[in-house]
Amino acid sequence: MNSMQRVLTTLSHKEPDRVPLFLLTNLHGAKELGLSIEEYFSRAEYVVEGQMRLLKKYRSDCLYPFFYAAIELEAWGGDVIYQLDCPPNAGAPIIQLPEDIDHLQPPRVADAPCLTRVLDTISQLKARSGDTVPIIGVAISPFSLPVIQMGFDRYIELIYEQPERLARLMQVNEAFCVEWANAQLAAGATAICYFDPVSSSTIIPRDLYLKIGQQVAKRTLIRINGPTATHLASGRGLPILDDIAATGTAVMGVSVLEDLAELKAAAQGKLTLLGNLNGIQMRRWTTEQAEAEVKCAIAKAGRGGGFILSDNHGEIPWQVPDEVLLAISDAVERWGRYPLDWIEK
């Protein structure tokens, strides 16, 4: 099987030839090319070459043209702060006062050079890979984007104290999210990763998710012209797993803070799970630890398909060394081949 066939099979809750592996190494391409992170993301050609090299090196089952989360704030006119060894971060919030929301308008994707650079990257990756490897685009959910638009504290206050302005902000953000996601699909992305950490049970209670986050997701996802995966970016999702499935998404990114076997039992036939290797601890793993973690994850969630091995956050840290990533890939080849007869029944 090629990567596309492997992933489509597991999404159908059937067993492919082996467990699919998504190594979401958006930063490591800069290392491969000997560039700084800022220079690497300055040109689509750099990211394309980086992703193609990483695909061959680590034998991952996807291409990941995600640049950095702050790129969406950049499209709205915000600043991006670059550092040497971590993802670019968002600068000052673009919404300084709640009243700013009254006049807020979404940017047009075609008018944002930072976003068109991503679209160019996707188009080039599609031309080089065809339909053999899934290309995963990324859009931050309208419900989570305000964290970088206005700051966490002011956003939480808005949720509880100004429902009308919150509704206005969701309307604007939904329009942007849909346009951005569909532009990536039109450029050649196979699916969209809908990053929605604020909806996780780590951050808000389930009743608030059902009242706002889920409703936003339902309105947004139905307007996206392709399959989606909802990622809670390390946040807990088991208490809302059925609620996430009800939004129409096909995949849920799961947290290392929850038991993978329990998640797999709850998700059976409803959602494919993506996760849940600990990217933070991964920085200090030995190759033996990497193999043990992969083996444990496959033992808990591999049977019956419906599982893609990945990190639990959607972005592997810059500090994770090559030998660990190669050990993860080797371990999937060794322990992820179906049928998984080595797992005790």
Side-chain angles (χ1 to χ4, degrees):
M1 286 184 170
N2 63 31
S3 291
M4 185 71 78
Q5 294 166 334
R6 185 173 298 124
V7 171
L8 290 176
T9 301
T10 208
L11 289 173
S12 299
H13 298 273
K14 298 177 182 178
E15 294 183 351
D17 58 337
R18 68 158 171 81
V19 173
L21 172 65
F22 280 14
L23 276 180
L24 303 180
T25 47
N26 59 310
L27 300 176
H28 282 67
K31 290 184 179 181
E32 290 295 310
L33 274 62
L35 301 173
S36 69
I37 291 173
E38 183 173 6
E39 186 178 6
Y40 177 64
F41 288 126
S42 69
R43 293 183 59 186
E45 290 77 13
Y46 292 153
V47 181
V48 171
E49 182 61 27
Q51 280 292 302
M52 295 305 297
R53 290 191 191 185
L54 294 174
L55 181 70
K56 181 179 181 179
K57 182 175 184 176
Y58 298 136
R59 292 158 287 161
S60 180
D61 286 305
C62 76
L63 291 161
Y64 194 49
F66 172 62
F67 280 39
Y68 44 89
I71 202 168
E72 295 199 19
L73 186 75
E74 187 177 0
W76 290 76
D79 294 324
V80 174
I81 301 170
Y82 288 91
Q83 299 185 65
L84 295 177
D85 61 351
C86 66
N89 290 316
I94 60 168
I95 299 173
Q96 295 291 330
L97 298 170
E99 291 81 5
D100 294 340
I101 295 170
D102 300 344
H103 309 288
L104 195 66
Q105 295 295 328
R108 292 183 67 251
V109 171
D111 294 337
C114 58
L115 300 186
T116 58
R117 193 157 57 246
V118 177
L119 298 180
D120 190 16
T121 300
I122 293 172
S123 296
Q124 291 186 48
L125 289 172
K126 179 68 172 180
R128 292 181 64 167
S129 65
D131 294 322
T132 62
V133 184
I135 300 171
I136 310 302
V138 172
I140 301 176
S141 90
F143 188 54
S144 292
L145 185 59
V147 171
I148 59 174
Q149 288 176 312
M150 62 187 303
F152 211 125
D153 53 347
R154 283 180 285 184
Y155 180 41
I156 293 298
E157 291 172 358
L158 186 80
I159 289 174
Y160 283 100
E161 298 175 4
Q162 300 192 47
E164 292 184 1
R165 282 206 168 99
L166 174 65
R168 158 74 180 160
L169 183 57
M170 292 303 99
Q171 181 184 33
V172 172
N173 283 355
E174 287 169 30
F176 171 72
C177 182
V178 169
E179 184 189 355
W180 175 220
N182 285 336
Q184 292 178 75
L185 291 167
T190 311
I192 297 297
C193 182
Y194 179 83
F195 267 109
D196 196 17
V198 173
S199 287
S200 73
S201 301
T202 300
I203 296 179
I204 63 170
R206 177 173 178 260
D207 61 346
L208 189 57
Y209 170 67
L210 293 176
K211 180 180 178 182
I212 307 173
Q214 188 197 48
Q215 301 310 308
V216 170
K218 285 181 176 180
R219 292 194 301 265
T220 302
L221 297 184
I222 199 171
R223 297 166 60 195
I224 293 176
N225 301 324
T228 62
T230 296
H231 207 304
L232 303 178
S234 303
R236 296 174 178 85
L238 183 58
I240 56 171
L241 188 147
D242 287 340
D243 306 319
I244 287 177
T247 66
T249 199
V251 179
M252 186 175 85
V254 295
S255 174
V256 74
L257 300 173
E258 296 177 299
D259 183 77
L260 194 51
E262 189 176 0
L263 284 161
K264 181 63 183 290
Q268 194 69 45
K270 304 171 188 174
L271 289 168
T272 291
L273 300 182
L274 176 73
N276 67 346
L277 301 179
N278 191 324
I280 301 300
Q281 292 184 1
M282 195 183 293
R283 298 172 303 155
R284 299 183 180 89
W285 283 353
T286 64
T287 55
E288 292 78 15
Q289 284 176 298
E291 181 177 11
E293 293 290 340
V294 168
K295 186 178 180 182
C296 179
I298 292 173
K300 288 185 174 184
R303 285 194 182 277
F307 176 61
I308 300 171
L309 184 70
S310 186
D311 74 287
N312 82 141
H313 190 72
E315 187 174 52
I316 292 177
W318 170 269
Q319 293 82 3
V320 177
D322 282 352
E323 56 265 28
V324 169
L325 296 174
L326 289 167
I328 290 171
S329 181
D330 290 343
V332 174
E333 289 290 339
R334 179 176 182 184
W335 300 107
R337 291 282 167 182
Y338 288 103
L340 304 175
D341 293 334
W342 57 269
I343 300 176
E344 295 183 6
K345 296 182 179 179

